[in-house]
Amino acid sequence: MTFRVCVYCGSRHGVRASYAAAARAIGAEIGRRGWQLVYGGGRVGLMGEAADAALAAGARVVGVIPQTLREREVGHLGLHELHVVPTMHLRKQMMAERADAFVALPGGIGTLEELYEVWTWRQLGYHDQPIGLLNVDGYYDALLRFMSRSVDEGFLAPTQHALLQVDTDPAALLDRLHRLAASGGREDDYSRI
């Protein structure tokens, strides 16, 4: 069975060229490995960069976009599958159901919301897929410090914090997520990484 990676990222490029480069790198790595990319279905911003790179590298690419955003984000018409759904809730549900692992790249509040939702679902046992964060040029440093403070202040258990796999290298992060998915994502497997 093909390994399916759900990528969350911005519908904008951001100010640093490294963000787009990272989106292209993750898409190319997914394609190089013969895996499938699942993402938000847009052709613009980092979403478009990741999708185009995955397609160019031979990956099967599946997009899920809500009807209200289809025109705004201009749905990518070159995908293997583009699902147009009526709500954001159905979009996130369909993406999650089609994923074996999740990766967040730089993005705005939508990316953060998607990351936190699958992280919460994982914590609550709604799925056991691994979750990764690609920290490009320190984009997420402040967020990671805040999450460590949440642990220090007693609002987040260290085991829950450890569910988020963080790396700066796309290939290394994908390797780790694939290993965790193959092991069934058991808690004890996270402690050995």
Side-chain angles (χ1 to χ4, degrees), residues 15 26 29 33-34 37 65 87 97 107 123 148 150 164 166 171 180 184:
V15 298
I26 204 101
E29 273 296 315
R33 296 162 188 246
L37 170 67
I65 193 166
T87 68
E97 288 171 349
Q123 172 189 333
S148 291
S150 295
L164 183 66
V166 181
L180 286 167

Side-chain angles (χ1 to χ4, degrees), residues 12-137:
R12 297 179 181 192
H13 281 90
V15 298
R16 296 180 191 227
S18 57
Y19 301 149
R24 288 190 296 271
I26 204 101
E29 273 296 315
I30 290 169
R32 184 184 69 75
R33 296 162 188 246
W35 294 353
Q36 178 174 291
L37 170 67
V38 178
Y39 84 115
R43 69 167 178 84
V44 296
L46 299 187
M47 288 197 300
E49 298 284 354
D52 288 342
L55 288 165
R60 181 169 183 81
V61 180
V62 176
V64 185
I65 193 166
Q67 181 63 42
T68 55
L69 292 180
R70 185 176 185 190
E71 291 79 26
R72 282 177 59 188
E73 291 183 327
V74 189
H76 199 306
L77 301 179
L79 307 179
H80 295 93
E81 298 176 38
L82 178 62
H83 300 273
V84 181
V85 294
T87 68
M88 286 293 288
H89 292 294
L90 287 174
R91 176 197 212 184
K92 292 183 295 180
Q93 179 183 350
M94 182 178 278
M95 289 168 68
E97 288 171 349
R98 293 169 173 265
D100 299 308
F102 302 93
V103 177
L105 278 62
I109 58 174
T111 301
L112 288 172
E113 189 261 345
E114 290 167 326
L115 169 64
Y116 275 100
E117 185 166 63
V118 294
W119 194 359
T120 301
W121 290 352
R122 176 67 176 90
Q123 172 189 333
L124 296 174
Y126 294 142
H127 69 83
D128 63 359
Q129 291 93 333
I131 304 161
L133 183 70
L134 188 63
N135 191 18
V136 181
D137 280 345

